[in-house]
Amino acid sequence: MKPTVIISNLGTNLDGPTHPQRWERWRPTVSLFQQDDLEPARLVLLHDPKFGKLADTVEQDVLSASPTTEVQRHSLKQRDPWDFAEVYASLLDFAESYPFDPEAEDYLVHVTTGTHVTQICLFLLVETGRIPGRLVQTSPPKARKRGHAALGTYNIIDLDLSRYDLLAARFEKERQEGVDFLKSGIPTRNKNFNALMDRIEQVSIRSDDAILLTGATGVGKTRLARRVFELKQRGPSTAGGFVEVNCATLRGDGAMSTLFGHNKGAFTGALNDRDGLLRKADKGVLFLDEIGELGLDEQAMLLRALEEGWFLPLGSDTAVHSNFQLLAGTNRNLGEAVRAGTFREDLLARIDLWTFELPSLKDRTEDLEPNMDFELASISEERGRTIAFNKEARAKFLSFATSSAAIWRANFRDFGSALRRLATLSDGGRIGLPLVKEEITRLKTSWQNLEDPSAQGATPLVDALLPSAKIDPFDRPSLELTLQTCRQSKSLAEAGRTLFAVSRTQRKSTNDGDRLRKYLARFDLSWDQITG
Ligand SMILES: Nc1ncnc2c1ncn2[C@@H]1O[C@H](COP(=O)(O)OP(=O)(O)O)[C@@H](O)[C@H]1O
Ligand SMILES: [Mg+2]
């Protein structure tokens, strides 16, 4: 056990008086030396020289109660013991000049005596570690017996420990609430998914670095991005708003100006100045959904805005500043896009700091049940009536949903649609077995129709440019490839040469541009629409 050193400020009221009956009174500083289980080796008595006589008495009484104790007196010059700055300065001088040796001694700082200002200052010095000790509080005895020394009790407060126990429990609770919030309160069971959400929660609240959410279509990237923002909003870190754009909808002058703004007259049709989304996101979050679809020029400008915090609006030579956090979503493999030359490697490196891949539903089948309950509860709320499966139907649906036959190709989009159809077709809010069987057949058929392996991939440009067109699964992949090629080419003819690279060599006359124009016309698409 290390020797104990008590640092106490002389209490001009409580540590008095000096007359002989004083032993019957409770005197906080002296009481610390009358305790059976405390044998302080030293008292450091802080006092104003004005109260030298009282200090003498306290010193004497401490020595008589505890003869092995050494008393050191330390003068504090304070004109006004209620003046915060003065009291703090004098105590800080003491703390800085005293030869503390926490390896060899245990320091207890007594905070029961002195003005409140003195007590607060001593607390601050201990709390910030300038006095390397713990606090000790004394309290008067509950009942007094005449003629007996008034001992009272003492209580040691270790700020480190109390902070640890209380705050750690509280932080853990807040953290858990944050994770639940990200998961919309759905009690998911998949270990990997839950670990991923824990990590996203930590990163979201601690950092403003870019976050990239990847994963197949419909796994919930867009929804999670909004939740991340809302979670950040609960803390102090985000002052601005949430600005969102799907990059597949941005092209040409329009793309630059939507993102970075323009000055009046920057291009035909630029009738007024426009701020752009980056500026709108200042102090907030910019969510670039489908960032893989962003053009190369926009990528370059975005990189600069991220690295330097400023960029040039179209037609302007005055740099604009914006300080935003970037969230990005993509279902494309951006590494592959870099190899194909459609995504800048330096931009990928910049946004790849925190990449989180959201798992597909078929890789977390144990979460389908809680998600189903959540979805049914929200549909019920939306429609103002309870919608539920009967027992058999529930078992049937879940067993199909978690089987390998259920590929949940578009993930939550398929899953949510299935539940919505069941809810709508249910009589009196009860979903029965026949409905479930019908739905299973419908899902299987729709997935079979898409089973053509070349149709497996996502078709973001087709989705963006022809959102409501009915296009055969057979046509989707080649149309997607065609649209991408057009966007990477300078002219229709150049795109045609790339797309018909093989067949053109076997023709007598080549008119690749014309061939391409006719193909596009089948979908009511023109070159300008695709690239402009
Ligand atoms: N955990 C979930 N439970 C139920 N529906 C969800 C969940 N996550 C996403 N959805 C819904 O699924 C659809 C697709 O989600 P979205 O976030 O747009 O996916 P992504 O951006 O990955 O394509 C949206 O209608 C969304 O509301
Ligand atoms: Mg999305």
Side-chain angles (χ1 to χ4, degrees):
M1 277 264 295
K2 292 187 245 178
T4 303
V5 177
I6 290 183
I7 297 164
S8 186
N9 186 73
L10 181 72
T12 53
N13 268 321
L14 290 179
D15 282 334
T18 50
H19 57 67
Q21 283 80 43
R22 65 182 184 272
W23 284 105
E24 285 175 32
R25 293 194 36 166
W26 173 68
R27 291 177 296 156
T29 300
V30 177
S31 79
L32 279 169
F33 297 83
Q34 297 173 296
Q35 307 287 338
D36 290 338
D37 55 353
L38 203 59
E39 273 181 51
R42 184 155 78 249
L43 164 66
V44 181
L45 187 62
L46 310 176
H47 68 93
D48 188 312
K50 276 206 297 277
F51 296 96
K53 189 156 172 280
L54 177 59
D56 290 343
T57 308
V58 168
E59 176 173 350
Q60 248 173 49
D61 291 352
V62 164
L63 291 175
S64 92
S66 170
T68 56
T69 299
E70 171 205 1
V71 177
Q72 278 178 356
R73 309 235 311 231
H74 184 97
S75 296
L76 292 178
K77 288 221 179 53
Q78 297 171 347
R79 268 170 301 128
D80 177 4
W82 295 98
D83 180 312
F84 199 95
E86 196 185 344
V87 171
Y88 188 79
S90 69
L91 289 171
L92 181 61
D93 284 344
F94 159 73
E96 285 178 345
S97 64
Y98 196 83
F100 289 108
D101 183 2
E103 297 286 306
E105 297 180 323
D106 235 349
Y107 301 97
L108 294 179
V109 179
H110 188 208
V111 285
T112 304
T113 47
T115 61
H116 288 119
V117 174
T118 306
Q119 294 170 12
I120 290 168
C121 292
L122 283 171
F123 168 85
L124 287 175
L125 290 167
V126 172
E127 210 255 348
T128 52
R130 289 174 199 263
I131 297 180
R134 291 174 295 168
L135 300 176
V136 61
Q137 263 181 321
T138 46
S139 341
K142 296 234 164 51
R144 302 266 172 94
K145 281 193 197 143
R146 269 187 79 78
H148 281 261
L151 258 184
T153 52
Y154 73 95
N155 177 25
I156 294 175
I157 308 154
D158 187 334
L159 287 178
D160 276 349
L161 276 185
S162 59
R163 189 163 35 205
Y164 181 78
D165 290 350
L166 287 171
L167 297 187
R170 208 164 142 181
F171 286 155
E172 175 53 28
K173 188 162 163 272
E174 276 175 11
R175 215 184 60 75
Q176 207 44 57
E177 283 169 4
V179 175
D180 282 349
F181 180 79
L182 284 181
K183 299 197 296 185
S184 311
I186 304 171
T188 49
R189 303 164 188 163
N190 183 278
K191 254 171 74 185
N192 293 340
F193 181 77
N194 288 343
L196 181 72
M197 289 299 137
D198 277 359
R199 182 50 59 84
I200 296 178
E201 191 268 350
Q202 291 172 327
V203 173
S204 307
I205 56 170
R206 292 181 196 172
S207 124
D208 286 334
D209 291 325
I211 296 178
L212 177 62
L213 301 174
T214 66
T217 182
V219 291
K221 301 180 293 291
T222 302
R223 177 170 158 141
L224 183 63
R226 294 196 186 115
R227 288 251 144 191
V228 164
F229 169 72
E230 286 162 22
L231 182 67
K232 293 178 80 76
Q233 242 184 348
R234 297 163 140 205
S237 60
T238 305
F242 183 74
V243 177
E244 173 182 4
V245 65
N246 185 330
C247 299
T249 64
L250 301 175
R251 285 322 283 180
D253 281 352
M256 276 290 191
S257 117
T258 304
L259 290 171
F260 306 102
H262 65 235
N263 278 11
K264 189 173 161 180
F267 53 90
T268 330
L271 301 177
N272 294 300
D273 289 355
R274 177 179 185 185
D275 269 351
L277 298 181
L278 263 72
R279 195 155 179 197
K280 203 167 146 203
D282 191 22
K283 302 191 182 69
V285 169
L286 176 67
F287 176 47
L288 295 182
D289 208 352
E290 306 299 353
I291 195 171
E293 308 314 312
L294 201 61
L296 286 166
D297 292 345
E298 289 78 19
Q299 291 177 27
M301 188 91 115
L302 175 66
L303 180 65
R304 182 173 191 181
L306 287 172
E307 290 194 324
E308 294 167 26
W310 59 268
F311 53 89
L312 290 173
L314 220 58
S316 163
D317 45 20
T318 318
V320 166
H321 177 82
S322 178
N323 183 14
F324 58 90
Q325 179 180 12
L326 181 69
L327 298 188
T330 184
N331 56 22
R332 240 182 227 289
N333 180 329
L334 291 182
E336 258 168 33
V338 167
R339 282 190 290 282
T342 57
F343 204 81
R344 289 183 67 110
E345 189 171 5
D346 45 10
L347 180 60
L348 178 59
R350 179 84 200 185
I351 63 176
D352 192 26
L353 180 62
W354 298 110
T355 296
F356 298 111
E357 180 173 2
L358 299 190
S360 296
L361 281 192
K362 65 176 172 6
D363 296 327
R364 54 179 186 117
T365 47
E366 63 272 62
D367 287 346
L368 289 171
E369 186 172 13
N371 269 298
M372 178 180 88
D373 289 335
F374 175 82
E375 194 60 22
L376 279 183
S378 23
I379 300 174
S380 300
E381 198 181 303
E382 197 183 297
R383 309 212 170 154
R385 63 194 284 210
T386 306
I387 292 162
F389 284 95
N390 72 32
K391 205 171 159 210
E392 281 181 293
R394 182 181 169 98
K396 177 82 187 165
F397 183 76
L398 276 174
S399 102
F400 168 73
T402 54
S403 72
S404 59
I407 57 170
W408 299 118
R409 193 177 168 278
N411 294 292
F412 278 115
R413 289 205 178 86
D414 286 349
F415 190 67
S417 308
L419 290 169
R420 279 181 176 272
R421 279 189 295 262
L422 289 168
T424 304
L425 296 176
S426 67
D427 287 322
R430 292 306 278 181
I431 304 171
L433 199 53
L435 266 188
V436 167
K437 288 185 173 161
E438 188 189 326
E439 179 58 32
I440 291 175
T441 310
R442 190 193 333 256
L443 285 168
K444 281 184 173 163
T445 314
S446 87
W447 290 328
Q448 254 159 28
N449 288 342
L450 295 164
E451 207 51 346
D452 170 8
S454 58
Q456 290 281 347
T459 53
L461 288 181
V462 177
D463 298 343
L465 288 167
L466 299 168
S468 48
K470 300 216 177 337
I471 300 169
D472 278 329
F474 174 80
D475 282 323
R476 278 187 171 268
S478 44
L479 182 55
E480 178 71 19
L481 176 73
T482 307
L483 297 176
Q484 280 177 28
T485 311
C486 288
R487 286 197 169 180
Q488 287 153 24
S489 307
K490 290 199 182 62
S491 65
L492 194 69
E494 184 189 316
R497 282 194 294 279
T498 312
L499 286 163
F500 305 120
V502 178
S503 56
R504 70 193 300 275
T505 59
Q506 292 146 12
R507 292 180 153 217
K508 283 202 196 73
S509 73
T510 52
N511 191 344
D512 310 305
D514 199 44
R515 263 176 96 184
L516 179 53
R517 188 175 304 112
K518 284 182 185 141
Y519 174 75
L520 292 172
R522 277 177 50 200
F523 303 97
D524 274 337
L525 283 169
S526 67
W527 172 259
D528 286 347
Q529 256 174 298
I530 300 164
T531 56

